[in-house]
Amino acid sequence: MTTMIDHTALQQDMPQIRPAMSSSVGLGTRAVLVSSAVAVGAGAALTASPTAASGLTGAVVAAGAVTALAANWSTCGMSVAGVVVAPKQPGRKGSSTPVRRLAWHATGSIMTGSVTGALIGAVGGAVLGTVPIAPMLGVWAALALAYGLHELGLVSMPTPMRRQQLPRHLRRSMEPWKVSLLFGAIIGPGFLIYIRSSAYYLMALGVAAAGSPVLGAALFVAVSLGRCMPSALAIVHTHRGGSMPGFLSLMCVVDRRVQALTGAVLVGLSVFAGITLA
């Protein structure tokens, strides 16, 4: 049976779905994470002494790396893991294995993600090409700091994500490999579904500021591959005798810890970018 979570609950940070940040990651632990990230960010900036342009590229690449991790632990990641790993229901057309479905999912996500990243880079280059890098990096650093603290649960910022989940009815109306491919294609651009992680939007803003289609395509492909992680781990988990409900419950616990780590990294990147401008 494919594990599902109620659509209404998906749209809220409900304790029965995900524990609150305060109960998952203590304030002291979050303070240590932030202090460590600040030290690493400052050390990297002082050691490398990057220019504004190279500093922007480095910060955006790092934001893409943390996005590849952070964007997974959400309700869509749980839904996809259920689609890819759960056995095919009796009577449904098609035959496939979890590994093949994961490959189809990755293919769909890479196809649309790479195009989206390239377009963001191209449009950003055309629109922001005459704007100096330094002020754009300054704005990016300020946003990274604000949303890093937001991810850590220390401040509250407006979140731009679209509160829309993957279409559930496709699970019952299409062959499993087609569902996996289509879900990947929908997830690839990122902006068509619910993405709770602020790092995703900071990555996209950074790609636009850098104005590089190649960088955009590369980062969005990296995120597409990273977002296959929950399904890959679920395959390993079930092959070792574990259950999907148990795996999804574990994801809900891991979710907040990854969110705290993401927030700390964003704060560290804001320090890195700020020192670069100094």
Side-chain angles (χ1 to χ4, degrees):
M1 292 290 290
T2 300
T3 301
M4 292 299 299
I5 302 175
D6 180 71
H7 179 76
T8 301
L10 289 175
Q11 298 187 10
Q12 304 176 43
D13 285 337
M14 299 178 67
Q16 60 266 38
I17 299 299
R18 278 197 312 268
M21 174 64 78
S22 58
S23 61
S24 293
V25 184
L27 186 59
T29 300
R30 281 178 277 167
V32 171
L33 284 172
V34 170
S35 299
S36 301
V38 168
V40 171
L46 294 173
T47 300
S49 299
T51 63
S54 61
L56 174 62
T57 301
V60 175
V61 168
V66 76
T67 298
L69 172 67
N72 289 300
W73 313 101
S74 63
T75 49
C76 280
M78 299 174 195
S79 292
V80 170
V83 168
V84 170
V85 181
K88 182 174 73 72
Q89 297 93 333
R92 286 187 67 183
K93 296 180 180 180
S95 61
S96 62
T97 65
V99 173
R100 290 207 299 266
R101 290 196 291 270
L102 179 57
W104 281 114
H105 174 73
T107 299
S109 186
I110 289 171
M111 289 171 56
T112 56
S114 59
V115 172
T116 301
L119 284 174
I120 291 174
V123 173
V127 175
L128 302 174
T130 59
V131 180
I133 291 291
M136 289 194 292
L137 182 57
V139 171
W140 192 93
L143 290 173
L145 175 60
Y147 279 95
L149 296 175
H150 170 82
E151 293 290 310
L152 286 159
L154 301 176
V155 302
S156 181
M157 295 291 293
T159 49
M161 82 280 288
R162 182 178 186 224
R163 296 187 176 274
Q164 178 66 46
Q165 290 298 313
L166 295 165
R168 297 175 58 177
H169 70 278
L170 295 179
R171 295 169 177 263
R172 300 181 295 273
S173 60
M174 297 178 66
E175 297 173 46
W177 74 268
K178 292 181 180 178
V179 179
S180 298
L181 176 65
L182 185 56
F183 274 16
I186 295 173
I187 285 177
F191 307 105
L192 301 177
I193 56 170
Y194 182 95
I195 295 181
R196 185 177 41 76
S197 175
S198 305
Y200 203 103
Y201 298 95
L202 285 163
M203 178 190 71
L205 286 173
V207 166
S212 171
V214 174
L215 178 63
L219 290 181
F220 271 72
V221 166
V223 171
S224 292
L225 292 174
R227 296 198 73 174
C228 294
M229 189 188 308
S231 297
L233 293 177
I235 290 173
V236 174
H237 179 78
T238 53
H239 280 186
R240 292 179 176 176
S243 68
M244 277 303 295
F247 177 77
L248 296 177
S249 297
L250 178 62
M251 284 185 67
C252 291
V253 174
V254 172
D255 177 24
R256 290 300 190 189
R257 296 172 184 175
V258 173
Q259 181 182 342
L261 177 62
T262 302
V265 170
L266 291 178
V267 172
L269 288 177
S270 73
V271 172
F272 172 83
I275 293 177
T276 298
L277 291 172

